[in-house]
Amino acid sequence: GENVEQHPSTLSVQEGDSAVIKCTYSDSASNYFPWYKQELGKRPQLIIDIRSNVGEKKDQRIAVTLNKTAKHFSLHITETQPEDSAVYFCAARQNSGYSTLTFGKGTMLLVSP
Amino acid sequence: GAVVSQHPSRVICKSGTSVKIECRSLDFQATTMFWYRQFPKKSLMLMATSNEGSKATYEQGVEKDKFLINHASLTLSTLTVTSAHPEDSSFYICSARDHTYEQYFGPGTRLTVT
């Protein structure tokens, strides 16, 4: 089955700095890679995703890159703000009706004002 | 957008009793729903995958007789924790998948067993 590794487990940055979270996956058949943001006691919210036919995707201050050869993908947050503080999870999955998301262990991002 | 609700949001029960948690997709049909368990500061652990009208598929190590899952309609799945014990205390989150395979998460249920 799929195995997703996520680093770092915690990340502290100053407001305005950039933050990068990295994930690797093991199943070369995976082709869908979402990122979720989870605030304390709340549900995970999809913030961005990427599919294997693209190498990079941007949405305002958030970007995700994918390297299928190396089987890794990364989340980049620029100009961080205190409200970006949360736990971020990467995940991987084949894009079929029978596959399930495999999550990384999460990264707690703390943005200090 | 797609909305998934969960009820109750919090529940406290006594050891030995059963608790039912409902998960509903409010504005879309979900042929597949997932149940996760999350311990404090930990990742989401998939417990089972539930397909409408069929038996749930449980992940290894999850007791199907303890965590009963029913997916009777395209918008409702239920998780019943039977004979709950303090070690079952956790945050339970459901997720529903639409026809594009995108998953939407419920707000979670905090279960405390005393």
Side-chain angles (χ1 to χ4, degrees), chain A residues 36 38 41-44 46 89 93 95-97 99-101 103-105, chain B residues 4 34 36 38 42-44 46 49 91 93 97 101-103 105-107 110:
Chain A
Y36 292 89
Q38 187 180 27
K42 302 284 182 66
R43 79 184 81 198
L46 177 69
F89 293 99
R93 187 192 72 199
N95 211 32
S96 73
S99 61
T100 59
L101 282 170
F103 286 88
K105 292 189 185 302
Chain B
V4 177
F34 305 89
Y36 295 86
Q38 187 175 34
K42 298 292 184 183
S43 189
L44 295 138
L46 180 65
T49 301
F91 194 50
I93 304 177
R97 187 161 71 188
Y101 300 137
E102 186 155 336
Q103 275 184 239
F105 287 88
R110 174 76 58 194

PDB file of all heavy atoms in Angstrom, chain A residues 36 38 41-44 46 89 93 95-97 99-101 103-105, chain B residues 4 34 36 38 42-44 46 49 91 93 97 101-103 105-107 110:
ATOM      1  N   TYR A  36      -4.290  19.494   3.133  1.00  0.00           N
ATOM      2  CA  TYR A  36      -5.364  19.919   4.013  1.00  0.00           C
ATOM      3  C   TYR A  36      -4.804  20.765   5.146  1.00  0.00           C
ATOM      4  O   TYR A  36      -3.694  20.532   5.642  1.00  0.00           O
ATOM      5  CB  TYR A  36      -6.083  18.704   4.618  1.00  0.00           C
ATOM      6  CG  TYR A  36      -6.864  17.895   3.610  1.00  0.00           C
ATOM      7  CD1 TYR A  36      -6.256  16.857   2.908  1.00  0.00           C
ATOM      8  CD2 TYR A  36      -8.198  18.167   3.352  1.00  0.00           C
ATOM      9  CE1 TYR A  36      -6.968  16.113   1.980  1.00  0.00           C
ATOM     10  CE2 TYR A  36      -8.921  17.425   2.432  1.00  0.00           C
ATOM     11  CZ  TYR A  36      -8.284  16.407   1.745  1.00  0.00           C
ATOM     12  OH  TYR A  36      -9.002  15.675   0.829  1.00  0.00           O
ATOM     13  N   GLN A  38      -5.802  21.963   9.016  1.00  0.00           N
ATOM     14  CA  GLN A  38      -6.700  21.648  10.119  1.00  0.00           C
ATOM     15  C   GLN A  38      -6.383  22.516  11.316  1.00  0.00           C
ATOM     16  O   GLN A  38      -5.291  22.455  11.879  1.00  0.00           O
ATOM     17  CB  GLN A  38      -6.604  20.163  10.508  1.00  0.00           C
ATOM     18  CG  GLN A  38      -7.647  19.760  11.536  1.00  0.00           C
ATOM     19  CD  GLN A  38      -7.573  18.292  11.938  1.00  0.00           C
ATOM     20  OE1 GLN A  38      -6.502  17.680  11.873  1.00  0.00           O
ATOM     21  NE2 GLN A  38      -8.694  17.716  12.319  1.00  0.00           N
ATOM     22  N   GLY A  41      -9.315  21.266  16.717  1.00  0.00           N
ATOM     23  CA  GLY A  41     -10.697  20.864  16.961  1.00  0.00           C
ATOM     24  C   GLY A  41     -11.633  21.037  15.782  1.00  0.00           C
ATOM     25  O   GLY A  41     -12.846  20.878  15.921  1.00  0.00           O
ATOM     26  N   LYS A  42     -11.071  21.355  14.621  1.00  0.00           N
ATOM     27  CA  LYS A  42     -11.899  21.583  13.437  1.00  0.00           C
ATOM     28  C   LYS A  42     -11.660  20.492  12.389  1.00  0.00           C
ATOM     29  O   LYS A  42     -10.782  19.663  12.517  1.00  0.00           O
ATOM     30  CB  LYS A  42     -11.562  22.964  12.830  1.00  0.00           C
ATOM     31  CG  LYS A  42     -11.751  24.124  13.769  1.00  0.00           C
ATOM     32  CD  LYS A  42     -13.215  24.464  13.933  1.00  0.00           C
ATOM     33  CE  LYS A  42     -13.431  25.661  14.845  1.00  0.00           C
ATOM     34  NZ  LYS A  42     -12.892  26.915  14.264  1.00  0.00           N
ATOM     35  N   ARG A  43     -12.455  20.548  11.353  1.00  0.00           N
ATOM     36  CA  ARG A  43     -12.297  19.566  10.281  1.00  0.00           C
ATOM     37  C   ARG A  43     -11.131  19.939   9.369  1.00  0.00           C
ATOM     38  O   ARG A  43     -10.800  21.111   9.234  1.00  0.00           O
ATOM     39  CB  ARG A  43     -13.578  19.519   9.450  1.00  0.00           C
ATOM     40  CG  ARG A  43     -13.727  20.668   8.430  1.00  0.00           C
ATOM     41  CD  ARG A  43     -15.042  20.619   7.703  1.00  0.00           C
ATOM     42  NE  ARG A  43     -16.122  21.188   8.484  1.00  0.00           N
ATOM     43  CZ  ARG A  43     -17.404  20.974   8.244  1.00  0.00           C
ATOM     44  NH1 ARG A  43     -17.772  20.203   7.247  1.00  0.00           N
ATOM     45  NH2 ARG A  43     -18.333  21.524   8.985  1.00  0.00           N
ATOM     46  N   PRO A  44     -10.506  18.961   8.737  1.00  0.00           N
ATOM     47  CA  PRO A  44      -9.496  19.274   7.716  1.00  0.00           C
ATOM     48  C   PRO A  44     -10.161  19.954   6.530  1.00  0.00           C
ATOM     49  O   PRO A  44     -11.226  19.541   6.085  1.00  0.00           O
ATOM     50  CB  PRO A  44      -8.950  17.897   7.316  1.00  0.00           C
ATOM     51  CG  PRO A  44      -9.337  16.984   8.418  1.00  0.00           C
ATOM     52  CD  PRO A  44     -10.625  17.518   8.959  1.00  0.00           C
ATOM     53  N   LEU A  46      -9.563  21.240   2.584  1.00  0.00           N
ATOM     54  CA  LEU A  46      -8.712  21.166   1.399  1.00  0.00           C
ATOM     55  C   LEU A  46      -8.282  22.576   1.004  1.00  0.00           C
ATOM     56  O   LEU A  46      -9.118  23.463   0.830  1.00  0.00           O
ATOM     57  CB  LEU A  46      -9.486  20.523   0.250  1.00  0.00           C
ATOM     58  CG  LEU A  46      -8.758  20.424  -1.087  1.00  0.00           C
ATOM     59  CD1 LEU A  46      -7.610  19.425  -0.997  1.00  0.00           C
ATOM     60  CD2 LEU A  46      -9.724  20.022  -2.191  1.00  0.00           C
ATOM     61  N   PHE A  89      -1.711  18.730   6.510  1.00  0.00           N
ATOM     62  CA  PHE A  89      -1.539  17.329   6.130  1.00  0.00           C
ATOM     63  C   PHE A  89      -1.422  17.203   4.624  1.00  0.00           C
ATOM     64  O   PHE A  89      -2.226  17.787   3.886  1.00  0.00           O
ATOM     65  CB  PHE A  89      -2.739  16.486   6.572  1.00  0.00           C
ATOM     66  CG  PHE A  89      -2.902  16.350   8.055  1.00  0.00           C
ATOM     67  CD1 PHE A  89      -3.805  17.138   8.738  1.00  0.00           C
ATOM     68  CD2 PHE A  89      -2.160  15.417   8.761  1.00  0.00           C
ATOM     69  CE1 PHE A  89      -3.968  17.015  10.111  1.00  0.00           C
ATOM     70  CE2 PHE A  89      -2.322  15.280  10.138  1.00  0.00           C
ATOM     71  CZ  PHE A  89      -3.224  16.087  10.802  1.00  0.00           C
ATOM     72  N   ARG A  93      -3.117   9.582  -3.323  1.00  0.00           N
ATOM     73  CA  ARG A  93      -4.135   8.598  -3.676  1.00  0.00           C
ATOM     74  C   ARG A  93      -4.127   8.367  -5.179  1.00  0.00           C
ATOM     75  O   ARG A  93      -3.785   9.263  -5.956  1.00  0.00           O
ATOM     76  CB  ARG A  93      -5.512   9.130  -3.285  1.00  0.00           C
ATOM     77  CG  ARG A  93      -6.658   8.148  -3.435  1.00  0.00           C
ATOM     78  CD  ARG A  93      -7.997   8.859  -3.314  1.00  0.00           C
ATOM     79  NE  ARG A  93      -8.291   9.670  -4.483  1.00  0.00           N
ATOM     80  CZ  ARG A  93      -9.181  10.651  -4.487  1.00  0.00           C
ATOM     81  NH1 ARG A  93      -9.838  10.950  -3.389  1.00  0.00           N
ATOM     82  NH2 ARG A  93      -9.421  11.329  -5.578  1.00  0.00           N
ATOM     83  N   ASN A  95      -6.400   8.026  -8.441  1.00  0.00           N
ATOM     84  CA  ASN A  95      -7.665   8.686  -8.747  1.00  0.00           C
ATOM     85  C   ASN A  95      -8.671   7.697  -9.299  1.00  0.00           C
ATOM     86  O   ASN A  95      -9.086   7.782 -10.437  1.00  0.00           O
ATOM     87  CB  ASN A  95      -7.427   9.817  -9.753  1.00  0.00           C
ATOM     88  CG  ASN A  95      -8.421  10.935  -9.543  1.00  0.00           C
ATOM     89  OD1 ASN A  95      -8.862  11.189  -8.436  1.00  0.00           O
ATOM     90  ND2 ASN A  95      -8.775  11.620 -10.618  1.00  0.00           N
ATOM     91  N   SER A  96      -9.042   6.745  -8.447  1.00  0.00           N
ATOM     92  CA  SER A  96     -10.035   5.769  -8.881  1.00  0.00           C
ATOM     93  C   SER A  96     -11.049   5.581  -7.767  1.00  0.00           C
ATOM     94  O   SER A  96     -10.823   5.982  -6.629  1.00  0.00           O
ATOM     95  CB  SER A  96      -9.371   4.425  -9.193  1.00  0.00           C
ATOM     96  OG  SER A  96      -8.987   3.788  -7.986  1.00  0.00           O
ATOM     97  N   GLY A  97     -12.157   4.958  -8.102  1.00  0.00           N
ATOM     98  CA  GLY A  97     -13.215   4.812  -7.124  1.00  0.00           C
ATOM     99  C   GLY A  97     -12.892   3.881  -5.977  1.00  0.00           C
ATOM    100  O   GLY A  97     -13.576   3.878  -4.977  1.00  0.00           O
ATOM    101  N   SER A  99      -9.789   3.637  -4.455  1.00  0.00           N
ATOM    102  CA  SER A  99      -8.602   4.009  -3.698  1.00  0.00           C
ATOM    103  C   SER A  99      -8.967   4.956  -2.570  1.00  0.00           C
ATOM    104  O   SER A  99      -9.981   5.648  -2.615  1.00  0.00           O
ATOM    105  CB  SER A  99      -7.574   4.652  -4.620  1.00  0.00           C
ATOM    106  OG  SER A  99      -8.110   5.813  -5.190  1.00  0.00           O
ATOM    107  N   THR A 100      -8.119   4.955  -1.539  1.00  0.00           N
ATOM    108  CA  THR A 100      -8.347   5.822  -0.391  1.00  0.00           C
ATOM    109  C   THR A 100      -7.151   6.756  -0.205  1.00  0.00           C
ATOM    110  O   THR A 100      -6.043   6.464  -0.652  1.00  0.00           O
ATOM    111  CB  THR A 100      -8.532   4.990   0.886  1.00  0.00           C
ATOM    112  OG1 THR A 100      -7.362   4.204   1.096  1.00  0.00           O
ATOM    113  CG2 THR A 100      -9.740   4.078   0.765  1.00  0.00           C
ATOM    114  N   LEU A 101      -7.395   7.867   0.458  1.00  0.00           N
ATOM    115  CA  LEU A 101      -6.322   8.805   0.759  1.00  0.00           C
ATOM    116  C   LEU A 101      -5.424   8.241   1.850  1.00  0.00           C
ATOM    117  O   LEU A 101      -5.905   7.708   2.853  1.00  0.00           O
ATOM    118  CB  LEU A 101      -6.899  10.133   1.250  1.00  0.00           C
ATOM    119  CG  LEU A 101      -7.463  11.096   0.217  1.00  0.00           C
ATOM    120  CD1 LEU A 101      -8.201  12.225   0.916  1.00  0.00           C
ATOM    121  CD2 LEU A 101      -6.366  11.645  -0.680  1.00  0.00           C
ATOM    122  N   PHE A 103      -2.643   9.666   4.418  1.00  0.00           N
ATOM    123  CA  PHE A 103      -2.201  10.947   4.943  1.00  0.00           C
ATOM    124  C   PHE A 103      -0.790  10.877   5.495  1.00  0.00           C
ATOM    125  O   PHE A 103      -0.366   9.844   6.017  1.00  0.00           O
ATOM    126  CB  PHE A 103      -3.136  11.409   6.063  1.00  0.00           C
ATOM    127  CG  PHE A 103      -4.465  11.892   5.589  1.00  0.00           C
ATOM    128  CD1 PHE A 103      -5.518  11.008   5.414  1.00  0.00           C
ATOM    129  CD2 PHE A 103      -4.673  13.233   5.301  1.00  0.00           C
ATOM    130  CE1 PHE A 103      -6.751  11.444   4.965  1.00  0.00           C
ATOM    131  CE2 PHE A 103      -5.908  13.674   4.844  1.00  0.00           C
ATOM    132  CZ  PHE A 103      -6.939  12.788   4.676  1.00  0.00           C
ATOM    133  N   GLY A 104      -0.099  12.007   5.387  1.00  0.00           N
ATOM    134  CA  GLY A 104       1.142  12.169   6.134  1.00  0.00           C
ATOM    135  C   GLY A 104       0.809  12.425   7.594  1.00  0.00           C
ATOM    136  O   GLY A 104      -0.360  12.582   7.963  1.00  0.00           O
ATOM    137  N   LYS A 105       1.827  12.479   8.429  1.00  0.00           N
ATOM    138  CA  LYS A 105       1.616  12.628   9.875  1.00  0.00           C
ATOM    139  C   LYS A 105       1.295  14.057  10.289  1.00  0.00           C
ATOM    140  O   LYS A 105       0.927  14.298  11.439  1.00  0.00           O
ATOM    141  CB  LYS A 105       2.838  12.128  10.638  1.00  0.00           C
ATOM    142  CG  LYS A 105       3.032  10.623  10.528  1.00  0.00           C
ATOM    143  CD  LYS A 105       4.115  10.148  11.472  1.00  0.00           C
ATOM    144  CE  LYS A 105       4.416   8.673  11.296  1.00  0.00           C
ATOM    145  NZ  LYS A 105       3.258   7.813  11.496  1.00  0.00           N
TER     146      LYS A 105
ATOM    147  N   VAL B   4     -20.512  18.591   4.480  1.00  0.00           N
ATOM    148  CA  VAL B   4     -20.706  17.353   5.231  1.00  0.00           C
ATOM    149  C   VAL B   4     -20.949  17.722   6.687  1.00  0.00           C
ATOM    150  O   VAL B   4     -20.191  18.495   7.272  1.00  0.00           O
ATOM    151  CB  VAL B   4     -19.482  16.429   5.115  1.00  0.00           C
ATOM    152  CG1 VAL B   4     -19.658  15.174   5.971  1.00  0.00           C
ATOM    153  CG2 VAL B   4     -19.242  16.052   3.659  1.00  0.00           C
ATOM    154  N   PHE B  34     -16.044   7.745   4.423  1.00  0.00           N
ATOM    155  CA  PHE B  34     -14.907   7.230   5.180  1.00  0.00           C
ATOM    156  C   PHE B  34     -15.030   7.665   6.638  1.00  0.00           C
ATOM    157  O   PHE B  34     -15.511   8.757   6.931  1.00  0.00           O
ATOM    158  CB  PHE B  34     -13.596   7.785   4.619  1.00  0.00           C
ATOM    159  CG  PHE B  34     -13.402   7.540   3.150  1.00  0.00           C
ATOM    160  CD1 PHE B  34     -13.858   8.446   2.213  1.00  0.00           C
ATOM    161  CD2 PHE B  34     -12.748   6.397   2.700  1.00  0.00           C
ATOM    162  CE1 PHE B  34     -13.683   8.227   0.850  1.00  0.00           C
ATOM    163  CE2 PHE B  34     -12.564   6.170   1.346  1.00  0.00           C
ATOM    164  CZ  PHE B  34     -13.037   7.087   0.428  1.00  0.00           C
ATOM    165  N   TYR B  36     -12.694   8.239  10.044  1.00  0.00           N
ATOM    166  CA  TYR B  36     -11.337   8.385  10.554  1.00  0.00           C
ATOM    167  C   TYR B  36     -11.381   8.579  12.071  1.00  0.00           C
ATOM    168  O   TYR B  36     -12.351   9.082  12.633  1.00  0.00           O
ATOM    169  CB  TYR B  36     -10.654   9.609   9.942  1.00  0.00           C
ATOM    170  CG  TYR B  36     -10.417   9.538   8.455  1.00  0.00           C
ATOM    171  CD1 TYR B  36     -11.406   9.918   7.554  1.00  0.00           C
ATOM    172  CD2 TYR B  36      -9.197   9.110   7.942  1.00  0.00           C
ATOM    173  CE1 TYR B  36     -11.194   9.866   6.181  1.00  0.00           C
ATOM    174  CE2 TYR B  36      -8.964   9.065   6.575  1.00  0.00           C
ATOM    175  CZ  TYR B  36      -9.967   9.447   5.702  1.00  0.00           C
ATOM    176  OH  TYR B  36      -9.754   9.395   4.351  1.00  0.00           O
ATOM    177  N   GLN B  38      -8.857  10.328  15.082  1.00  0.00           N
ATOM    178  CA  GLN B  38      -7.692  11.190  15.232  1.00  0.00           C
ATOM    179  C   GLN B  38      -7.398  11.388  16.717  1.00  0.00           C
ATOM    180  O   GLN B  38      -8.243  11.891  17.465  1.00  0.00           O
ATOM    181  CB  GLN B  38      -7.921  12.546  14.550  1.00  0.00           C
ATOM    182  CG  GLN B  38      -6.690  13.426  14.513  1.00  0.00           C
ATOM    183  CD  GLN B  38      -6.910  14.704  13.738  1.00  0.00           C
ATOM    184  OE1 GLN B  38      -8.001  15.264  13.744  1.00  0.00           O
ATOM    185  NE2 GLN B  38      -5.875  15.193  13.059  1.00  0.00           N
ATOM    186  N   LYS B  42      -2.117  14.074  16.342  1.00  0.00           N
ATOM    187  CA  LYS B  42      -1.766  12.978  15.445  1.00  0.00           C
ATOM    188  C   LYS B  42      -2.503  13.112  14.129  1.00  0.00           C
ATOM    189  O   LYS B  42      -3.404  13.951  13.974  1.00  0.00           O
ATOM    190  CB  LYS B  42      -2.109  11.624  16.087  1.00  0.00           C
ATOM    191  CG  LYS B  42      -1.359  11.337  17.370  1.00  0.00           C
ATOM    192  CD  LYS B  42       0.116  11.137  17.093  1.00  0.00           C
ATOM    193  CE  LYS B  42       0.835  10.745  18.378  1.00  0.00           C
ATOM    194  NZ  LYS B  42       2.298  10.607  18.166  1.00  0.00           N
ATOM    195  N   SER B  43      -2.128  12.269  13.204  1.00  0.00           N
ATOM    196  CA  SER B  43      -2.743  12.315  11.878  1.00  0.00           C
ATOM    197  C   SER B  43      -4.087  11.589  11.879  1.00  0.00           C
ATOM    198  O   SER B  43      -4.496  10.985  12.868  1.00  0.00           O
ATOM    199  CB  SER B  43      -1.803  11.693  10.855  1.00  0.00           C
ATOM    200  OG  SER B  43      -2.278  11.913   9.552  1.00  0.00           O
ATOM    201  N   LEU B  44      -4.739  11.659  10.749  1.00  0.00           N
ATOM    202  CA  LEU B  44      -6.024  10.967  10.582  1.00  0.00           C
ATOM    203  C   LEU B  44      -5.751   9.495  10.288  1.00  0.00           C
ATOM    204  O   LEU B  44      -5.009   9.166   9.365  1.00  0.00           O
ATOM    205  CB  LEU B  44      -6.787  11.592   9.420  1.00  0.00           C
ATOM    206  CG  LEU B  44      -7.204  13.031   9.650  1.00  0.00           C
ATOM    207  CD1 LEU B  44      -6.989  13.863   8.425  1.00  0.00           C
ATOM    208  CD2 LEU B  44      -8.653  13.075  10.071  1.00  0.00           C
ATOM    209  N   LEU B  46      -7.435   6.128   9.072  1.00  0.00           N
ATOM    210  CA  LEU B  46      -8.617   5.574   8.427  1.00  0.00           C
ATOM    211  C   LEU B  46      -9.073   4.330   9.173  1.00  0.00           C
ATOM    212  O   LEU B  46      -8.287   3.411   9.407  1.00  0.00           O
ATOM    213  CB  LEU B  46      -8.320   5.233   6.969  1.00  0.00           C
ATOM    214  CG  LEU B  46      -9.474   4.649   6.166  1.00  0.00           C
ATOM    215  CD1 LEU B  46     -10.605   5.666   6.001  1.00  0.00           C
ATOM    216  CD2 LEU B  46      -8.984   4.186   4.790  1.00  0.00           C
ATOM    217  N   THR B  49     -13.955   2.155   5.202  1.00  0.00           N
ATOM    218  CA  THR B  49     -14.543   2.748   4.003  1.00  0.00           C
ATOM    219  C   THR B  49     -15.934   2.163   3.851  1.00  0.00           C
ATOM    220  O   THR B  49     -16.113   0.929   3.905  1.00  0.00           O
ATOM    221  CB  THR B  49     -13.696   2.417   2.769  1.00  0.00           C
ATOM    222  OG1 THR B  49     -12.375   2.908   2.966  1.00  0.00           O
ATOM    223  CG2 THR B  49     -14.297   3.040   1.520  1.00  0.00           C
ATOM    224  N   PHE B  91     -11.300  11.750  18.675  1.00  0.00           N
ATOM    225  CA  PHE B  91     -11.990  12.630  17.732  1.00  0.00           C
ATOM    226  C   PHE B  91     -12.285  11.784  16.499  1.00  0.00           C
ATOM    227  O   PHE B  91     -11.374  11.245  15.872  1.00  0.00           O
ATOM    228  CB  PHE B  91     -11.067  13.807  17.400  1.00  0.00           C
ATOM    229  CG  PHE B  91     -11.717  14.966  16.702  1.00  0.00           C
ATOM    230  CD1 PHE B  91     -12.886  15.528  17.185  1.00  0.00           C
ATOM    231  CD2 PHE B  91     -11.138  15.523  15.570  1.00  0.00           C
ATOM    232  CE1 PHE B  91     -13.485  16.616  16.551  1.00  0.00           C
ATOM    233  CE2 PHE B  91     -11.721  16.614  14.926  1.00  0.00           C
ATOM    234  CZ  PHE B  91     -12.895  17.159  15.423  1.00  0.00           C
ATOM    235  N   ILE B  93     -13.845  11.580  12.744  1.00  0.00           N
ATOM    236  CA  ILE B  93     -14.181  12.439  11.606  1.00  0.00           C
ATOM    237  C   ILE B  93     -14.639  11.576  10.446  1.00  0.00           C
ATOM    238  O   ILE B  93     -13.996  10.582  10.105  1.00  0.00           O
ATOM    239  CB  ILE B  93     -12.959  13.272  11.146  1.00  0.00           C
ATOM    240  CG1 ILE B  93     -12.390  14.092  12.299  1.00  0.00           C
ATOM    241  CG2 ILE B  93     -13.331  14.185  10.000  1.00  0.00           C
ATOM    242  CD1 ILE B  93     -11.143  14.874  11.915  1.00  0.00           C
ATOM    243  N   ARG B  97     -17.204  11.317  -0.284  1.00  0.00           N
ATOM    244  CA  ARG B  97     -16.573  11.533  -1.587  1.00  0.00           C
ATOM    245  C   ARG B  97     -17.647  11.710  -2.654  1.00  0.00           C
ATOM    246  O   ARG B  97     -18.604  10.922  -2.717  1.00  0.00           O
ATOM    247  CB  ARG B  97     -15.667  10.351  -1.919  1.00  0.00           C
ATOM    248  CG  ARG B  97     -14.828  10.539  -3.164  1.00  0.00           C
ATOM    249  CD  ARG B  97     -13.651   9.589  -3.196  1.00  0.00           C
ATOM    250  NE  ARG B  97     -14.040   8.222  -3.428  1.00  0.00           N
ATOM    251  CZ  ARG B  97     -13.204   7.182  -3.339  1.00  0.00           C
ATOM    252  NH1 ARG B  97     -11.951   7.369  -2.994  1.00  0.00           N
ATOM    253  NH2 ARG B  97     -13.620   5.970  -3.569  1.00  0.00           N
ATOM    254  N   TYR B 101     -14.451  12.244  -7.052  1.00  0.00           N
ATOM    255  CA  TYR B 101     -13.522  11.598  -6.106  1.00  0.00           C
ATOM    256  C   TYR B 101     -12.936  12.577  -5.094  1.00  0.00           C
ATOM    257  O   TYR B 101     -12.059  12.215  -4.330  1.00  0.00           O
ATOM    258  CB  TYR B 101     -12.385  10.858  -6.816  1.00  0.00           C
ATOM    259  CG  TYR B 101     -12.857   9.770  -7.736  1.00  0.00           C
ATOM    260  CD1 TYR B 101     -12.284   9.596  -8.994  1.00  0.00           C
ATOM    261  CD2 TYR B 101     -13.875   8.914  -7.358  1.00  0.00           C
ATOM    262  CE1 TYR B 101     -12.719   8.598  -9.837  1.00  0.00           C
ATOM    263  CE2 TYR B 101     -14.314   7.912  -8.202  1.00  0.00           C
ATOM    264  CZ  TYR B 101     -13.733   7.769  -9.444  1.00  0.00           C
ATOM    265  OH  TYR B 101     -14.170   6.779 -10.294  1.00  0.00           O
ATOM    266  N   GLU B 102     -13.411  13.840  -5.094  1.00  0.00           N
ATOM    267  CA  GLU B 102     -12.919  14.756  -4.079  1.00  0.00           C
ATOM    268  C   GLU B 102     -13.588  14.432  -2.746  1.00  0.00           C
ATOM    269  O   GLU B 102     -14.774  14.105  -2.698  1.00  0.00           O
ATOM    270  CB  GLU B 102     -13.227  16.201  -4.468  1.00  0.00           C
ATOM    271  CG  GLU B 102     -12.604  17.211  -3.513  1.00  0.00           C
ATOM    272  CD  GLU B 102     -12.366  18.550  -4.156  1.00  0.00           C
ATOM    273  OE1 GLU B 102     -12.246  18.625  -5.393  1.00  0.00           O
ATOM    274  OE2 GLU B 102     -12.301  19.536  -3.393  1.00  0.00           O
ATOM    275  N   GLN B 103     -12.805  14.502  -1.673  1.00  0.00           N
ATOM    276  CA  GLN B 103     -13.319  14.178  -0.336  1.00  0.00           C
ATOM    277  C   GLN B 103     -13.579  15.435   0.458  1.00  0.00           C
ATOM    278  O   GLN B 103     -12.770  16.364   0.465  1.00  0.00           O
ATOM    279  CB  GLN B 103     -12.299  13.322   0.425  1.00  0.00           C
ATOM    280  CG  GLN B 103     -12.411  11.850   0.136  1.00  0.00           C
ATOM    281  CD  GLN B 103     -11.471  11.011   0.971  1.00  0.00           C
ATOM    282  OE1 GLN B 103     -10.641  10.293   0.441  1.00  0.00           O
ATOM    283  NE2 GLN B 103     -11.602  11.076   2.281  1.00  0.00           N
ATOM    284  N   PHE B 105     -14.690  16.692   4.394  1.00  0.00           N
ATOM    285  CA  PHE B 105     -14.699  16.197   5.758  1.00  0.00           C
ATOM    286  C   PHE B 105     -15.819  16.808   6.583  1.00  0.00           C
ATOM    287  O   PHE B 105     -16.197  17.970   6.397  1.00  0.00           O
ATOM    288  CB  PHE B 105     -13.353  16.500   6.432  1.00  0.00           C
ATOM    289  CG  PHE B 105     -12.244  15.625   5.934  1.00  0.00           C
ATOM    290  CD1 PHE B 105     -11.497  15.986   4.824  1.00  0.00           C
ATOM    291  CD2 PHE B 105     -11.946  14.432   6.567  1.00  0.00           C
ATOM    292  CE1 PHE B 105     -10.480  15.175   4.340  1.00  0.00           C
ATOM    293  CE2 PHE B 105     -10.931  13.609   6.100  1.00  0.00           C
ATOM    294  CZ  PHE B 105     -10.202  13.986   4.982  1.00  0.00           C
ATOM    295  N   GLY B 106     -16.330  16.000   7.488  1.00  0.00           N
ATOM    296  CA  GLY B 106     -17.272  16.500   8.470  1.00  0.00           C
ATOM    297  C   GLY B 106     -16.522  17.260   9.555  1.00  0.00           C
ATOM    298  O   GLY B 106     -15.284  17.210   9.619  1.00  0.00           O
ATOM    299  N   PRO B 107     -17.235  17.925  10.444  1.00  0.00           N
ATOM    300  CA  PRO B 107     -16.608  18.731  11.494  1.00  0.00           C
ATOM    301  C   PRO B 107     -16.057  17.919  12.648  1.00  0.00           C
ATOM    302  O   PRO B 107     -15.384  18.465  13.522  1.00  0.00           O
ATOM    303  CB  PRO B 107     -17.737  19.651  11.960  1.00  0.00           C
ATOM    304  CG  PRO B 107     -18.977  18.890  11.668  1.00  0.00           C
ATOM    305  CD  PRO B 107     -18.702  18.095  10.422  1.00  0.00           C
ATOM    306  N   ARG B 110     -16.274  14.714  19.020  1.00  0.00           N
ATOM    307  CA  ARG B 110     -15.376  14.450  20.160  1.00  0.00           C
ATOM    308  C   ARG B 110     -16.094  13.494  21.096  1.00  0.00           C
ATOM    309  O   ARG B 110     -17.101  13.847  21.699  1.00  0.00           O
ATOM    310  CB  ARG B 110     -15.054  15.752  20.878  1.00  0.00           C
ATOM    311  CG  ARG B 110     -14.255  15.611  22.159  1.00  0.00           C
ATOM    312  CD  ARG B 110     -12.796  15.339  21.878  1.00  0.00           C
ATOM    313  NE  ARG B 110     -12.193  16.395  21.062  1.00  0.00           N
ATOM    314  CZ  ARG B 110     -11.025  16.267  20.458  1.00  0.00           C
ATOM    315  NH1 ARG B 110     -10.338  15.138  20.565  1.00  0.00           N
ATOM    316  NH2 ARG B 110     -10.542  17.257  19.752  1.00  0.00           N
TER     317      ARG B 110
END
